[in-house]
Structures are given as structure tokens and as C-alpha cells.
Amino acid sequence: MTVTWTSGYGINEAEPFVEWGPKGGQQGHSPAGTLTFDRSSMCGAPARTVGWRDPGFIHTSFLKELWPNTMYTYKLGHRFLNGTYMWNQMHQFKSSPYPGQNSVQHVVIFGDMGKDEADGSNEYNQFQPGALNTTNQLINDLENIDIVFHIGDICYANGYISQWDQFTSQIEPIASTIPYMLASGNHERDWPGTGSFYGNMDSGGECGVLVQNMFYVPTVNRDKFWYGDCPYLIISFL
């Protein structure tokens, strides 16, 4: 299982890790890698101009050798240079079935969800006002879902970087409990002259940088956002 979260702490300030293990059992630590990007990584406006917002630091940790059909608990941690710790709340997930096990897996697949303002206020490029209906339904039905596939056009930030924070906060109740897999769409990737399939401006200047850095994909060429099975959990903020 892969766990991803963001914080304001670089590796020169604090060491990121995940404390995890079988529910009620011994807990271990897995270190996390750290990525970030700057304004110059963007391909054009508005991502480089009025839409820019410092993303902070993106941390990714891999929880390996999971025992099948087991409930695990985990929490995110940062160890500061003075030896103190900062902790996130405890989360839990269930590992996948045994290989070859005869079992029913409930899979939810959708695309083009976007995000919306929970307080009903307006926002720039308000593409998907129904996004809250989707996430609320998933949250209410979490016990009956094994994995979610979000197959592109993820949050429609279109170059306004802070919208990614809103999206990850919106899906955190889902993606911190069950695997949430993503693929890149035209609103994440497309920009003229960058090698995208369509040479339009749908990404708002992001040209895939946001989605490639924020979400781990198990592929050699991260610019080709097609990959096999590697489920992961997403936490919006520490």
C-alpha cells in the first residue's frame, strides 16, 4: 500500500514516516520520500502566474509485505531535528484478499468528478457542482467499497494550484481508508508543445506536473500515466 500526504516540512526540517502495523498489534515505521516543485516547473498561465501557489512538500511511503485480509492501522509522523514529533490522526485500511481467493470485490470507477465548495460559495471555473454528491455517496457507502478508480480529469484545477488542496481534502475520508487509484486526463496533462496527446491548453499550464508529483504511479516513464496495480491511500494535510 502506498500512502501520500503533504506538509510544510522539507527533509532539512523533519523526517517524514508512517507508523503502521496490524490493528492491535506491533507497529513499525516506514520512511517516506519527499518531492516538491516550483513555479518554473509550470508550462504557462495561469499555473505560472495568478494560479500559482507553493505546494509545500509531498511525502510518499510504501507499506510492504502486507498479510492478506488483515486490518491495518497507520498514522503519519514527522520527526524534527530536535527529536520532537508531530503526528496525524490514526487511520485504518484492510489489505487485499489472498491470491486466488474466491471473493467478491466491489469496485467504483468514474472520471471527470472535480470538486466543489462545501459551503455553497462560487469559485472560478465551477465545472463540477455535483462532485460533492459523488464524494458524499462514497463516504456513506465506504463499508461496501474495496477500491476506487478515478480515471482522469481529477479536480479541474486548470492551473489554479490551491484547487488540488481542496480536492484532496474533499476525498480524504475516502482515500485514507480504501485504495484510491488515479489516472491523468486532458485537464491534468494537455499543453501545447509538451508531448501531450492533444495540443490544447486544458491543463491551465500544469502540463502534468501536479498529478505526477502528487500521486505516485508505478511506471518507468511518469509522463506516460498508465500503470498496473499499486493501490494507495491519500491524506490531504498533516
Side-chain angles (χ1 to χ4, degrees), residues 31-99:
T34 299
L35 293 173
T36 190
F37 51 89
D38 57 28
R39 189 192 299 260
S40 65
S41 303
M42 303 293 101
C43 293
R48 267 193 176 182
T49 56
V50 295
W52 171 253
R53 177 187 182 278
D54 191 314
F57 298 94
I58 303 152
H59 312 289
T60 300
S61 183
F62 304 101
L63 315 186
K64 301 180 179 180
E65 298 183 3
L66 302 179
W67 197 255
N69 288 330
T70 301
M71 189 67 71
Y72 286 89
T73 58
Y74 71 100
K75 61 180 179 179
L76 318 176
H78 285 260
R79 181 182 183 274
F80 294 92
L81 298 182
N82 63 6
T84 62
Y85 288 82
M86 175 177 285
W87 295 100
N88 185 262
Q89 69 187 78
M90 184 76 72
H91 299 279
Q92 65 180 26
F93 68 91
K94 186 178 181 180
S95 59
S96 60
Y98 286 88

Coordinates of all heavy atoms in Angstrom, one line a residue, residues 31-99:
P31 N 9.9 4.8 6.2 CA 10.3 6.2 5.8 C 9.5 6.6 4.6 O 8.9 5.8 3.8 CB 11.7 6.0 5.5 CG 11.9 4.6 5.1 CD 11.0 3.8 6.0
A32 N 9.4 7.9 4.4 CA 8.8 8.5 3.2 C 9.7 9.3 2.4 O 10.6 10.0 2.9 CB 7.6 9.3 3.7
G33 N 9.5 9.2 1.1 CA 10.3 10.1 0.2 C 9.6 11.4 0.1 O 8.4 11.6 0.4
T34 N 10.3 12.5 -0.3 CA 9.7 13.8 -0.4 C 10.0 14.5 -1.7 O 11.1 14.4 -2.2 CB 10.4 14.7 0.7 OG1 10.1 14.1 2.0 CG2 9.8 16.1 0.7
L35 N 9.0 15.1 -2.3 CA 9.1 15.8 -3.6 C 8.5 17.2 -3.4 O 7.6 17.4 -2.6 CB 8.4 15.1 -4.7 CG 8.9 13.7 -5.2 CD1 7.9 13.1 -6.2 CD2 10.3 13.9 -5.8
T36 N 8.8 18.1 -4.3 CA 8.1 19.3 -4.4 C 8.4 19.9 -5.8 O 9.1 19.2 -6.6 CB 8.6 20.4 -3.4 OG1 7.7 21.5 -3.4 CG2 10.0 20.8 -3.6
F37 N 7.9 21.0 -6.2 CA 8.2 21.7 -7.5 C 8.0 23.2 -7.3 O 7.4 23.6 -6.3 CB 7.2 21.1 -8.5 CG 5.8 21.1 -8.2 CD1 5.0 22.2 -8.4 CD2 5.2 20.0 -7.6 CE1 3.6 22.2 -8.1 CE2 3.9 20.0 -7.2 CZ 3.1 21.1 -7.5
D38 N 8.5 23.9 -8.2 CA 8.4 25.4 -8.1 C 7.6 26.0 -9.3 O 7.2 25.3 -10.2 CB 9.7 26.0 -7.9 CG 10.7 25.7 -9.0 OD1 10.3 25.4 -10.2 OD2 11.9 25.7 -8.8
R39 N 7.5 27.3 -9.3 CA 6.7 28.0 -10.4 C 7.3 27.7 -11.8 O 6.6 27.6 -12.8 CB 6.7 29.5 -10.1 CG 5.8 30.3 -11.0 CD 6.1 31.8 -10.9 NE 5.8 32.2 -9.5 CZ 4.7 32.9 -9.1 NH1 3.7 33.1 -10.0 NH2 4.6 33.3 -7.9
S40 N 8.7 27.6 -11.8 CA 9.3 27.4 -13.1 C 9.0 26.0 -13.7 O 9.2 25.8 -14.9 CB 10.8 27.6 -13.0 OG 11.4 26.5 -12.2
S41 N 8.5 25.1 -12.9 CA 8.1 23.8 -13.4 C 6.8 23.8 -14.2 O 6.5 22.9 -15.0 CB 7.9 22.8 -12.3 OG 9.1 22.7 -11.5
M42 N 6.0 24.9 -14.1 CA 4.8 25.0 -14.8 C 5.1 25.4 -16.2 O 6.1 26.0 -16.5 CB 3.9 26.1 -14.1 CG 3.6 25.8 -12.7 SD 2.5 24.3 -12.4 CE 3.8 23.2 -11.8
C43 N 4.1 25.1 -17.1 CA 4.3 25.3 -18.5 C 3.8 26.7 -19.0 O 4.1 27.1 -20.1 CB 3.8 24.2 -19.4 SG 4.6 22.6 -19.1
G44 N 2.9 27.3 -18.3 CA 2.3 28.5 -18.7 C 1.2 29.0 -17.8 O 1.0 28.5 -16.7
A45 N 0.5 30.1 -18.2 CA -0.5 30.7 -17.3 C -1.8 29.9 -17.4 O -2.1 29.3 -18.5 CB -0.7 32.1 -17.8
P46 N -2.6 29.9 -16.4 CA -2.4 30.7 -15.1 C -1.5 29.9 -14.1 O -1.2 30.5 -13.0 CB -3.8 30.8 -14.6 CG -4.5 29.5 -15.0 CD -4.0 29.3 -16.4
A47 N -1.1 28.7 -14.3 CA -0.3 28.0 -13.3 C 1.0 28.7 -13.0 O 1.4 28.6 -11.8 CB 0.0 26.6 -13.9
R48 N 1.6 29.4 -13.9 CA 2.8 30.1 -13.6 C 2.5 31.5 -13.1 O 3.5 32.2 -12.6 CB 3.6 30.3 -14.9 CG 4.6 29.2 -15.1 CD 5.6 29.5 -16.2 NE 6.7 28.5 -16.4 CZ 7.7 28.6 -17.2 NH1 7.7 29.7 -18.1 NH2 8.6 27.7 -17.3
T49 N 1.3 32.0 -13.2 CA 1.0 33.4 -12.8 C 0.0 33.5 -11.7 O 0.4 33.1 -10.6 CB 0.5 34.2 -14.1 OG1 -0.6 33.5 -14.6 CG2 1.6 34.2 -15.2
V50 N -1.2 33.9 -12.0 CA -2.2 34.2 -10.9 C -2.6 32.9 -10.2 O -3.1 32.9 -9.1 CB -3.4 34.9 -11.5 CG1 -3.0 36.3 -11.9 CG2 -4.1 34.1 -12.6
G51 N -2.4 31.7 -10.9 CA -2.9 30.5 -10.3 C -1.8 29.8 -9.4 O -2.1 28.8 -8.8
W52 N -0.6 30.3 -9.4 CA 0.5 29.7 -8.7 C 0.2 29.7 -7.1 O -0.2 30.8 -6.6 CB 1.8 30.3 -9.0 CG 2.9 29.8 -8.1 CD1 3.5 30.5 -7.1 CD2 3.5 28.5 -8.1 NE1 4.5 29.6 -6.4 CE2 4.4 28.4 -7.0 CE3 3.2 27.3 -8.9 CZ2 5.2 27.3 -6.8 CZ3 4.0 26.2 -8.6 CH2 4.9 26.2 -7.6
R53 N 0.5 28.6 -6.5 CA 0.6 28.6 -5.0 C 1.6 27.5 -4.7 O 1.7 26.5 -5.2 CB -0.8 28.1 -4.5 CG -0.8 28.0 -2.9 CD -2.1 27.4 -2.5 NE -2.2 27.2 -1.0 CZ -1.7 26.2 -0.3 NH1 -1.0 25.3 -1.0 NH2 -1.8 26.2 1.0
D54 N 2.5 27.9 -3.7 CA 3.5 26.9 -3.3 C 2.9 25.7 -2.8 O 2.0 25.7 -1.9 CB 4.4 27.6 -2.2 CG 5.6 26.8 -1.9 OD1 5.5 25.5 -1.8 OD2 6.7 27.4 -1.8
P55 N 3.2 24.5 -3.3 CA 2.5 23.3 -3.0 C 3.0 22.7 -1.6 O 2.5 21.7 -1.2 CB 2.9 22.3 -4.1 CG 4.2 22.8 -4.5 CD 4.2 24.3 -4.4
G56 N 4.1 23.2 -1.0 CA 4.6 22.6 0.1 C 5.4 21.4 -0.3 O 6.0 21.3 -1.4
F57 N 5.4 20.3 0.6 CA 6.2 19.1 0.3 C 5.2 17.9 0.2 O 4.3 17.8 1.1 CB 7.2 19.0 1.4 CG 8.2 20.1 1.4 CD1 8.0 21.2 2.3 CD2 9.3 20.1 0.6 CE1 8.9 22.2 2.3 CE2 10.2 21.2 0.6 CZ 10.0 22.2 1.5
I58 N 5.5 17.0 -0.7 CA 4.7 15.9 -1.0 C 5.4 14.6 -0.5 O 6.6 14.4 -1.0 CB 4.3 15.8 -2.4 CG1 3.6 17.1 -2.9 CG2 3.4 14.6 -2.7 CD1 3.8 17.4 -4.4
H59 N 4.9 13.9 0.4 CA 5.6 12.7 1.0 C 4.9 11.4 0.6 O 3.6 11.4 0.6 CB 5.5 12.8 2.5 CG 6.0 14.2 3.1 ND1 7.3 14.6 3.0 CD2 5.3 15.2 3.6 CE1 7.4 15.8 3.5 NE2 6.1 16.2 3.9
T60 N 5.6 10.4 0.3 CA 5.1 9.1 -0.1 C 5.9 8.0 0.6 O 7.1 8.0 0.5 CB 5.2 9.0 -1.7 OG1 4.5 10.0 -2.3 CG2 4.7 7.6 -2.1
S61 N 5.1 7.1 1.2 CA 5.7 6.0 1.9 C 5.0 4.7 1.4 O 3.8 4.7 1.0 CB 5.5 6.1 3.4 OG 6.1 5.1 4.1
F62 N 5.8 3.6 1.4 CA 5.3 2.3 0.9 C 5.2 1.3 2.0 O 6.2 1.1 2.7 CB 6.3 1.8 -0.2 CG 6.4 2.7 -1.4 CD1 7.6 3.5 -1.4 CD2 5.5 2.8 -2.3 CE1 7.8 4.4 -2.5 CE2 5.7 3.7 -3.4 CZ 6.8 4.5 -3.5
L63 N 4.1 0.8 2.3 CA 3.8 -0.2 3.3 C 3.9 -1.6 2.7 O 3.0 -1.9 1.9 CB 2.5 0.1 4.0 CG 2.2 1.5 4.4 CD1 0.9 1.6 5.2 CD2 3.3 2.2 5.1
K64 N 4.9 -2.3 2.9 CA 5.2 -3.5 2.2 C 4.9 -4.8 3.0 O 4.8 -4.8 4.2 CB 6.6 -3.5 1.7 CG 7.0 -2.3 0.8 CD 8.4 -2.4 0.4 CE 8.8 -1.2 -0.5 NZ 10.2 -1.3 -0.9
E65 N 4.8 -5.9 2.3 CA 4.6 -7.3 2.8 C 3.4 -7.3 3.7 O 3.4 -7.9 4.8 CB 5.9 -7.7 3.6 CG 7.1 -7.8 2.7 CD 8.4 -8.3 3.4 OE1 8.2 -8.6 4.6 OE2 9.4 -8.3 2.8
L66 N 2.3 -6.8 3.2 CA 1.0 -6.9 3.9 C 0.5 -8.3 3.9 O 0.6 -9.0 2.9 CB 0.0 -6.0 3.3 CG 0.4 -4.5 3.2 CD1 -0.8 -3.7 2.5 CD2 0.7 -3.9 4.5
W67 N -0.1 -8.7 5.1 CA -0.7 -10.0 5.1 C -2.1 -9.9 4.6 O -2.8 -8.9 5.0 CB -0.7 -10.5 6.6 CG -1.0 -12.0 6.7 CD1 -2.2 -12.6 7.1 CD2 -0.1 -13.1 6.3 NE1 -2.1 -13.9 7.0 CE2 -0.8 -14.3 6.6 CE3 1.2 -13.1 5.8 CZ2 -0.2 -15.5 6.3 CZ3 1.8 -14.3 5.6 CH2 1.1 -15.5 5.9
P68 N -2.6 -10.8 3.8 CA -3.9 -10.6 3.2 C -5.1 -10.6 4.2 O -5.0 -11.1 5.3 CB -4.1 -11.9 2.3 CG -2.6 -12.3 2.0 CD -1.9 -12.0 3.2
N69 N -6.2 -10.0 3.8 CA -7.4 -9.9 4.6 C -7.2 -9.4 6.0 O -7.8 -9.9 7.0 CB -8.1 -11.3 4.6 CG -8.7 -11.7 3.3 OD1 -9.1 -10.8 2.6 ND2 -8.7 -12.9 3.0
T70 N -6.3 -8.5 6.2 CA -5.9 -8.0 7.5 C -6.2 -6.5 7.7 O -5.9 -5.7 6.7 CB -4.4 -8.3 7.8 OG1 -4.1 -9.7 7.7 CG2 -4.0 -7.8 9.2
M71 N -6.7 -6.1 8.8 CA -7.0 -4.7 9.1 C -5.7 -4.1 9.6 O -5.1 -4.6 10.6 CB -8.1 -4.6 10.1 CG -8.6 -3.1 10.3 SD -9.3 -2.4 8.8 CE -10.9 -3.4 8.8
Y72 N -5.2 -3.0 9.0 CA -4.0 -2.3 9.5 C -4.4 -0.9 9.9 O -5.3 -0.3 9.4 CB -3.0 -2.2 8.3 CG -2.3 -3.5 8.0 CD1 -2.8 -4.4 7.1 CD2 -1.1 -3.8 8.6 CE1 -2.2 -5.6 6.8 CE2 -0.4 -5.0 8.3 CZ -1.0 -5.9 7.4 OH -0.3 -7.1 7.1
T73 N -3.7 -0.4 10.9 CA -3.8 1.0 11.3 C -2.5 1.7 10.9 O -1.4 1.1 10.9 CB -4.0 1.1 12.8 OG1 -3.0 0.5 13.5 CG2 -5.4 0.4 13.2
Y74 N -2.6 3.0 10.7 CA -1.4 3.8 10.4 C -1.7 5.2 10.7 O -2.8 5.7 10.8 CB -1.1 3.6 8.9 CG -2.0 4.3 7.9 CD1 -1.8 5.6 7.4 CD2 -3.3 3.7 7.6 CE1 -2.6 6.2 6.5 CE2 -4.1 4.4 6.7 CZ -3.8 5.6 6.2 OH -4.7 6.2 5.4
K75 N -0.6 5.9 11.0 CA -0.6 7.4 11.2 C 0.7 8.0 10.7 O 1.7 7.4 10.7 CB -0.9 7.7 12.7 CG 0.2 7.3 13.7 CD -0.2 7.7 15.1 CE 0.9 7.3 16.1 NZ 0.5 7.8 17.5
L76 N 0.6 9.2 10.2 CA 1.7 9.9 9.6 C 2.5 10.6 10.7 O 1.9 11.2 11.7 CB 1.2 10.9 8.6 CG 0.0 10.5 7.7 CD1 -0.4 11.6 6.8 CD2 0.5 9.3 6.9
G77 N 3.8 10.7 10.6 CA 4.6 11.3 11.5 C 5.7 12.1 10.9 O 6.2 11.9 9.8
H78 N 6.2 13.1 11.6 CA 7.4 13.9 11.3 C 8.3 14.0 12.5 O 7.8 14.4 13.6 CB 7.0 15.3 10.8 CG 6.4 15.3 9.4 ND1 7.2 15.7 8.3 CD2 5.2 15.0 8.9 CE1 6.4 15.6 7.2 NE2 5.2 15.2 7.6
R79 N 9.5 13.6 12.3 CA 10.5 13.7 13.4 C 11.4 14.9 13.2 O 12.1 15.0 12.2 CB 11.3 12.5 13.5 CG 12.3 12.5 14.7 CD 13.2 11.2 14.7 NE 14.1 11.2 15.8 CZ 15.3 11.7 15.8 NH1 15.7 12.3 14.7 NH2 16.1 11.6 16.9
F80 N 11.3 15.9 14.0 CA 12.1 17.1 13.9 C 13.5 17.0 14.4 O 13.8 16.0 15.1 CB 11.4 18.3 14.6 CG 10.1 18.7 14.0 CD1 8.9 18.1 14.5 CD2 10.0 19.6 13.0 CE1 7.7 18.4 14.0 CE2 8.8 19.9 12.4 CZ 7.6 19.3 12.9
L81 N 14.4 17.9 14.0 CA 15.8 17.8 14.2 C 16.1 17.8 15.7 O 17.1 17.3 16.2 CB 16.6 18.9 13.5 CG 16.5 18.9 12.0 CD1 17.3 20.0 11.4 CD2 16.9 17.6 11.4
N82 N 15.2 18.4 16.5 CA 15.4 18.5 18.0 C 14.8 17.2 18.7 O 14.8 17.2 19.9 CB 14.8 19.7 18.6 CG 13.3 19.8 18.4 OD1 12.6 18.8 17.9 ND2 12.6 20.9 18.7
G83 N 14.4 16.2 17.9 CA 13.9 15.0 18.5 C 12.4 14.9 18.8 O 11.9 13.9 19.2
T84 N 11.7 16.0 18.6 CA 10.3 16.0 18.9 C 9.5 15.5 17.6 O 10.1 15.4 16.5 CB 9.8 17.5 19.2 OG1 10.0 18.3 18.1 CG2 10.4 18.0 20.4
Y85 N 8.3 15.1 17.9 CA 7.5 14.5 16.8 C 6.2 15.3 16.6 O 5.6 15.9 17.5 CB 7.1 13.1 17.2 CG 8.2 12.1 17.1 CD1 9.2 12.0 18.2 CD2 8.4 11.3 16.0 CE1 10.2 11.1 18.1 CE2 9.5 10.4 15.9 CZ 10.4 10.3 17.0 OH 11.4 9.4 16.9
M86 N 5.7 15.2 15.4 CA 4.3 15.7 15.1 C 3.6 14.5 14.4 O 4.1 13.8 13.6 CB 4.4 16.9 14.1 CG 3.0 17.3 13.6 SD 3.0 18.8 12.6 CE 3.4 20.1 13.8
W87 N 2.3 14.3 14.9 CA 1.6 13.2 14.4 C 0.2 13.6 13.8 O -0.4 14.6 14.2 CB 1.2 12.2 15.6 CG 2.4 11.6 16.3 CD1 3.1 12.0 17.4 CD2 3.2 10.5 15.8 NE1 4.1 11.2 17.7 CE2 4.2 10.2 16.7 CE3 3.0 9.6 14.7 CZ2 5.1 9.2 16.5 CZ3 3.9 8.6 14.5 CH2 5.0 8.4 15.4
N88 N -0.2 12.8 12.8 CA -1.5 12.9 12.3 C -2.4 11.9 13.0 O -1.9 11.1 13.8 CB -1.5 12.6 10.8 CG -2.8 12.8 10.1 OD1 -3.5 11.8 9.9 ND2 -3.1 14.0 9.7
Q89 N -3.7 12.0 12.8 CA -4.6 11.1 13.5 C -4.5 9.7 12.9 O -3.9 9.5 11.8 CB -6.1 11.6 13.2 CG -6.6 11.4 11.8 CD -7.9 12.0 11.6 OE1 -8.0 13.3 11.5 NE2 -8.9 11.2 11.5
M90 N -5.0 8.7 13.6 CA -4.9 7.3 13.2 C -5.9 7.0 12.1 O -7.1 7.5 12.2 CB -5.2 6.4 14.4 CG -5.0 4.9 14.1 SD -3.3 4.4 14.0 CE -2.8 4.5 15.8
H91 N -5.5 6.3 11.1 CA -6.4 5.8 10.1 C -6.3 4.3 10.0 O -5.4 3.7 10.6 CB -6.0 6.4 8.7 CG -6.1 7.9 8.7 ND1 -7.2 8.6 8.5 CD2 -5.1 8.8 8.8 CE1 -7.0 9.8 8.5 NE2 -5.7 10.0 8.7
Q92 N -7.1 3.6 9.2 CA -7.0 2.2 9.0 C -7.5 1.8 7.6 O -8.2 2.5 7.0 CB -7.9 1.5 10.1 CG -9.4 1.7 10.0 CD -10.1 0.9 11.1 OE1 -9.5 0.6 12.1 NE2 -11.3 0.6 10.8
F93 N -7.0 0.6 7.2 CA -7.4 0.1 5.9 C -7.3 -1.5 6.0 O -6.6 -2.0 6.9 CB -6.6 0.6 4.8 CG -5.1 0.1 4.8 CD1 -4.8 -1.1 4.2 CD2 -4.2 0.8 5.5 CE1 -3.4 -1.5 4.2 CE2 -2.9 0.4 5.5 CZ -2.5 -0.8 4.9
K94 N -8.0 -2.1 5.1 CA -7.9 -3.6 5.0 C -7.1 -4.0 3.8 O -7.3 -3.5 2.7 CB -9.3 -4.2 5.0 CG -9.4 -5.7 5.1 CD -10.8 -6.3 5.1 CE -10.8 -7.8 5.2 NZ -12.2 -8.3 5.1
S95 N -6.2 -4.9 4.0 CA -5.4 -5.4 2.9 C -6.2 -6.3 1.9 O -7.3 -6.7 2.3 CB -4.2 -6.2 3.4 OG -4.6 -7.3 4.2
S96 N -5.7 -6.5 0.8 CA -6.4 -7.3 -0.3 C -6.5 -8.7 0.1 O -5.8 -9.2 1.0 CB -5.6 -7.1 -1.6 OG -4.3 -7.6 -1.5
P97 N -7.4 -9.5 -0.6 CA -7.6 -10.9 -0.3 C -6.3 -11.7 -0.7 O -5.4 -11.2 -1.3 CB -8.8 -11.3 -1.2 CG -9.4 -10.0 -1.6 CD -8.3 -9.0 -1.6
Y98 N -6.4 -13.0 -0.3 CA -5.3 -13.9 -0.6 C -5.3 -14.1 -2.2 O -6.3 -14.1 -2.8 CB -5.5 -15.3 0.0 CG -5.3 -15.3 1.5 CD1 -6.2 -15.0 2.4 CD2 -4.0 -15.7 1.9 CE1 -6.0 -15.1 3.8 CE2 -3.7 -15.8 3.3 CZ -4.7 -15.5 4.2 OH -4.5 -15.5 5.5
P99 N -4.1 -14.2 -2.8 CA -4.0 -14.5 -4.2 C -4.8 -15.8 -4.5 O -4.6 -16.9 -3.9 CB -2.5 -14.7 -4.5 CG -1.9 -13.9 -3.4 CD -2.8 -14.1 -2.2

